[in-house]
Amino acid sequence: MKKLFGISLLLIILLSSCDSSASIYNFKIRKDDYLVSDDGNIIIDYKTNGNGELIGLSIDRLLTVEDMIYFNPLIDYDYVLEGFEGDIFTSPGFLCTNYNEMMIPINIEIGSTRFKYDRIDCEYQEVDRNNIIKSGSYSRKYRLDETIGVSKETTVSIVVFDVLSIEKFVDIIDLPHTVKMLGVYSIAINDDLDGFDSRTTNYFQDMAVYEQLILKHQENEMAINEVLGFSMDINLLDFDQLAEVIPLIEDFESDYSLEIAAIEELIDLIGVISDEEVVPDDEEDD
């Protein structure tokens, strides 16, 4: 009887240890941050809980500086600042932008850092309190065709340098710097401004589907498979169902390759590697 009890106790201990070792978190616990993709095109806000589960996810596409201005319908190019007689907007230069007949602000502010446009270099360059461009390798610069990789909580705005003002830099209007913040999908308008050069898509709806499936599966490959119409519940022997694969999002992999790659970067960043010891092949033979 004692021997049987000992065996039972040993089995309970073994089963308990197997169960605990199998509980390996997908992600680092209690992470709440944002990621800007290596190519500077995508920003992802994410959050994990105490169990290492991804519980918050927002994928967004960063706008280039010229897109932030060109697609913003709220900018008043005839804005008048009381007591100010200088120019607020200027021509970017013929070779500096992808858009015809576009005007851009002379000064912008990102967080608490001010920038002034330079037509020769086609870029905004960091300035001091007197609106003089800073020199040195540490001064920041943004070309018109570059994105601004800051968090969504960081305010980007058009400012006016007014030497007669107490503050000197007067805030005019905020510039949303992502697709979701501005409310557009970053597609090109044709030269006649009466249509688009590519198929329009619903970025908000498509990203909502993708985000929810990543939260559901807690990994990327299965989420993509479900977007493409390959359900995990399909019987591989049921060829009738396999022949009628209907994707949730048309052309998902081609239209959103940047977002897919950014999610892989996020998983590499916050993913948790199993702490189980891997035995080399040569040791297994001993």
Side-chain angles (χ1 to χ4, degrees):
M1 176 68 76
K2 290 183 179 179
K3 184 176 181 181
L4 180 61
F5 176 79
I7 294 174
S8 300
L9 182 60
L10 179 61
L11 286 174
I12 293 174
I13 295 173
L14 289 174
L15 289 173
S16 299
S17 62
C18 290
D19 185 52
S20 61
S21 64
S23 179
I24 299 173
Y25 302 138
N26 286 340
F27 303 103
K28 293 182 175 69
I29 64 174
R30 298 186 182 89
K31 297 291 291 184
D32 188 355
D33 205 347
Y34 73 95
L35 164 79
V36 175
S37 61
D38 290 340
D39 59 15
N41 289 308
I42 306 298
I43 185 169
I44 303 176
D45 293 289
Y46 62 92
K47 183 176 183 179
T48 61
N49 63 14
N51 293 325
E53 297 173 306
L54 195 62
I55 59 171
L57 185 67
S58 176
I59 308 168
D60 206 346
R61 186 169 293 194
L62 289 162
L63 295 170
T64 62
V65 176
E66 61 185 357
D67 284 348
M68 289 166 51
I69 300 166
Y70 187 78
F71 286 104
N72 193 324
L74 300 179
I75 297 176
D76 181 4
Y77 292 94
D78 298 319
Y79 186 90
V80 176
L81 179 63
E82 185 177 354
F84 179 74
E85 297 181 355
D87 293 326
I88 298 177
F89 298 92
T90 185
S91 171
F94 180 71
L95 299 177
C96 291
T97 178
N98 293 316
Y99 303 115
N100 296 326
E101 300 179 0
M102 179 182 179
M103 298 292 287
I104 63 171
I106 295 173
N107 286 100
I108 62 172
E109 185 176 56
I110 304 173
S112 59
T113 305
R114 287 89 177 222
F115 298 81
K116 182 179 181 180
Y117 185 69
D118 184 286
R119 289 188 61 179
I120 297 177
D121 294 323
C122 301
E123 64 186 12
Y124 282 97
Q125 301 177 357
E126 186 177 349
V127 297
D128 60 19
R129 178 170 172 76
N130 296 311
N131 208 24
I132 298 175
I133 293 175
K134 292 183 178 181
S135 60
S137 57
Y138 293 103
S139 61
R140 284 169 282 186
K141 303 175 182 179
Y142 292 99
R143 290 180 55 84
L144 290 182
D145 58 2
E146 289 181 336
T147 59
I148 299 177
V150 295
S151 71
K152 293 183 180 181
E153 284 69 36
T154 301
T155 301
V156 181
S157 59
I158 296 175
V159 293
V160 176
F161 176 70
D162 184 2
V163 293
L164 300 179
S165 171
I166 297 176
E167 295 296 329
K168 287 197 174 182
F169 288 92
V170 181
D171 191 0
I172 299 300
I173 186 175
D174 289 349
L175 290 174
H177 60 283
T178 76
V179 167
K180 288 183 178 180
M181 292 173 69
L182 185 57
V184 300
Y185 179 66
S186 52
I187 56 176
I189 294 179
N190 61 19
D191 292 337
D192 296 329
L193 302 182
D194 60 359
F196 298 98
D197 286 338
S198 59
R199 178 177 62 86
T200 58
T201 61
N202 190 325
Y203 190 81
F204 306 92
Q205 178 176 312
D206 292 349
M207 284 303 101
V209 170
Y210 187 32
E211 291 160 359
Q212 290 295 333
L213 290 177
I214 292 174
L215 293 178
K216 170 186 174 181
H217 294 291
Q218 293 291 306
E219 62 102 34
N220 201 17
E221 184 177 357
M222 292 178 68
I224 293 174
N225 286 339
E226 191 160 345
V227 172
L228 298 179
F230 297 100
S231 173
M232 303 305 295
D233 299 327
I234 291 179
N235 189 332
L236 294 179
L237 299 178
D238 193 338
F239 295 102
D240 291 336
Q241 292 188 44
L242 290 176
E244 299 178 0
V245 173
I246 301 176
L248 297 177
I249 302 173
E250 184 181 354
D251 300 326
F252 175 75
E253 289 183 295
S254 57
D255 284 351
Y256 302 119
S257 60
L258 299 178
E259 285 78 4
I260 294 172
I263 286 294
E264 289 294 342
E265 291 178 26
L266 175 65
I267 292 174
D268 288 342
L269 176 67
I270 65 172
V272 174
I273 301 175
S274 170
D275 57 2
E276 293 181 353
E277 183 179 356
V278 178
V279 180
D281 293 338
D282 55 350
E283 292 186 13
E284 290 181 350
D285 298 333
D286 295 340

